[in-house]
Amino acid sequence: MSTVRIQASACALYSTFNHLRHRPNSVVSVSRNAKNSSALKVLSMSSSPPSVPFEICVKASITTPNKLGDCPFCQRVLLTLEEKHLPYDPKLVDLTNKPEWFLKINAEGKVPVIKLDEKWVSDSDIITQILEEKYPSPPLVIPPEKATVGSKIFSTFIGFLKSKDPNDGTEQALLSELSSFNDYLKENGPFVNGKDISAADLSLGPKLYHLEIALGHYKKWKVPDSLQSLKSYTKDIFSRESFIKTRAQPQDVIEGWRPKVEG
């Protein structure tokens, strides 16, 4: 057994500790080094490859039986497993009629949830961080100064998608975020961290996939051709084998967003 040390700010440390301490069979401790900086210790960790596939609960399709659903956070975790070449066994969960076995392992009823060291772990941020710590090769870690690149795109996309007023500024807000990301890629690309794909791309890619499909369907809107670096970026991400294997069907993305658009 080895110990993984996760350096964190006080706020992030509390959030992660609070999440972990409610898990059955979790062993968590907080220590301080000589400089009085906090560190979270998550025990029962190992760097050896798994002997059996990871069990992971993900959203099931609402349009097609036995197909993956449209959750971008589930895809983020699946992409991480794929890019790290880690085996997994997906459990498709009908979120409109959550089975009792699923609620027993995750009372909140949210996905994704993955079984790590005999503990069920939720939240894509925490899951991907643990996977990076336990299985650092190939590395997907992103420097802190690049971690927030493109982080406002998803929220501005949702704002524009839900908008009923063409003059409320939501389209311009989205265009502004996309333009900023395009400029960043032009100078630093092809990926967020340069030439190699990283955790930031695996988080942003599924969200851009939803943006493209949902806005194309409900708004008849597409990313302007002038944003060529962004368009090349999405083409590269969407064509990766890992992305093709884990993406939702377009009809699921459309139906998944329908309540927010029509509600």
Side-chain angles (χ1 to χ4, degrees):
M1 180 181 77
S2 61
T3 300
V4 171
R5 295 174 60 85
I6 304 173
Q7 297 297 330
S9 65
C11 181
L13 178 65
Y14 172 80
S15 177
T16 306
F17 176 80
N18 195 46
H19 178 92
L20 288 167
R21 71 187 178 88
H22 290 294
R23 291 191 210 140
N25 304 318
S26 296
V27 183
V28 181
S29 66
V30 178
S31 64
R32 293 182 181 275
N33 59 24
K35 295 182 179 180
N36 204 38
S37 62
S38 298
L40 180 70
K41 292 183 178 180
V42 184
L43 304 184
S44 300
M45 305 293 278
S46 171
S47 60
S48 59
S51 57
V52 295
F54 290 110
E55 294 181 66
I56 179 168
C57 299
V58 293
K59 184 179 181 180
S61 167
I62 59 175
T63 67
T64 311
N66 303 315
K67 290 287 187 179
L68 185 66
D70 64 301
C71 174
F73 306 102
C74 290
Q75 189 183 12
R76 175 192 182 186
V77 175
L78 295 178
L79 281 169
T80 302
L81 292 167
E82 286 284 340
E83 292 290 339
K84 287 186 173 293
H85 311 294
L86 297 171
Y88 61 93
D89 178 18
K91 310 293 185 185
L92 302 178
V93 179
D94 180 359
L95 296 185
T96 64
N97 184 25
K98 298 170 186 175
E100 189 64 28
W101 66 264
F102 174 63
L103 293 174
K104 285 182 178 179
I105 64 173
N106 182 24
E108 293 183 342
K110 297 179 180 179
V111 289
V113 188
I114 191 171
K115 196 173 188 180
L116 294 168
D117 295 327
E118 300 306 313
K119 301 184 295 289
W120 287 100
V121 182
S122 61
D123 190 303
S124 62
D125 284 338
I126 294 175
I127 294 170
T128 53
Q129 183 178 9
I130 292 175
L131 289 174
E132 184 65 34
E133 293 283 348
K134 284 175 65 67
Y135 306 101
S137 181
L140 296 173
V141 67
I142 186 80
E145 65 272 16
K146 297 181 180 180
T148 60
V149 172
S151 62
K152 296 181 180 179
I153 290 175
F154 195 54
S155 60
T156 53
F157 146 63
I158 296 173
F160 178 42
L161 180 66
K162 295 169 62 177
S163 172
K164 303 292 194 295
D165 180 0
N167 300 311
D168 64 2
T170 54
E171 180 180 9
Q172 187 54 47
L174 174 59
L175 281 171
S176 178
E177 291 299 327
L178 293 177
S179 295
S180 295
F181 186 52
N182 181 80
D183 292 343
Y184 175 88
L185 292 172
K186 186 184 294 186
E187 295 295 324
N188 303 280
F191 299 111
V192 171
N193 199 30
K195 65 182 181 67
D196 296 320
I197 200 164
S198 71
D201 305 299
L202 303 188
S203 176
L204 190 54
K207 297 169 184 176
L208 290 170
Y209 180 70
H210 278 239
L211 180 155
E212 181 177 286
I213 294 172
L215 290 181
H217 179 81
Y218 290 109
K219 297 279 192 180
K220 309 304 178 188
W221 190 94
K222 65 177 183 178
V223 173
D225 291 337
S226 59
L227 303 182
Q228 277 301 310
S229 295
L230 172 57
K231 292 178 81 72
S232 295
Y233 174 80
T234 55
K235 182 179 179 180
D236 288 344
I237 296 287
F238 297 169
S239 64
R240 292 181 75 87
E241 182 180 355
S242 60
F243 197 94
I244 294 171
K245 187 174 179 180
T246 59
R247 68 188 177 189
Q249 300 175 106
Q251 60 266 34
D252 274 305
V253 175
I254 291 168
E255 292 307 314
W257 286 105
R258 189 177 297 280
K260 288 189 177 296
V261 175
E262 299 180 351

